[in-house]
Amino acid sequence: MKNFANIIPIVTDMISGAFGGAVIGDCIGGFRGAILAASLGAIYMLFYGIHVMRQQRIHEKSTKVLPD
C-alpha cells in the first residue's frame, strides 16, 4: 500500500501533463498535434515525477540522523 501511495502523485502529474500538452498542441497543430503533444506531455511528466521521487529519497537518506 505504501508503494501505491507513492505512485498517485506521478499519475496525477502525467494527467496534467497530458492535458497541458493537448491544449498547447491543439493551438499549434490541430487535432494531430494535440494527440502528439498530449503523449509527449504525459511522458515528460512521468520522467519528471520519477526524478522528483528519486531526489526526495536521496535527500531523506542524507538528512537521516544516526543513533548514538
Side-chain angles (χ1 to χ4, degrees):
M1 198 62 168
K2 181 182 175 187
N3 291 334
F4 181 72
N6 291 339
I7 293 174
I8 291 174
I10 293 178
V11 172
T12 57
D13 283 347
M14 287 176 59
I15 292 170
S16 69
F19 278 115
V23 169
I24 293 170
D26 188 38
C27 293
I28 295 172
F31 182 71
R32 207 174 289 170
I35 293 173
L36 177 64
S39 302
L40 293 176
I43 291 169
Y44 172 78
M45 292 305 288
L46 169 68
F47 287 115
Y48 178 75
I50 291 171
H51 170 73
V52 169
M53 280 184 56
R54 189 173 292 160
Q55 291 298 321
Q56 287 175 345
R57 204 172 297 146
I58 291 170
H59 179 70
E60 288 172 1
K61 285 181 181 178
S62 67
T63 57
K64 196 175 207 179
V65 177
L66 298 174
D68 291 331

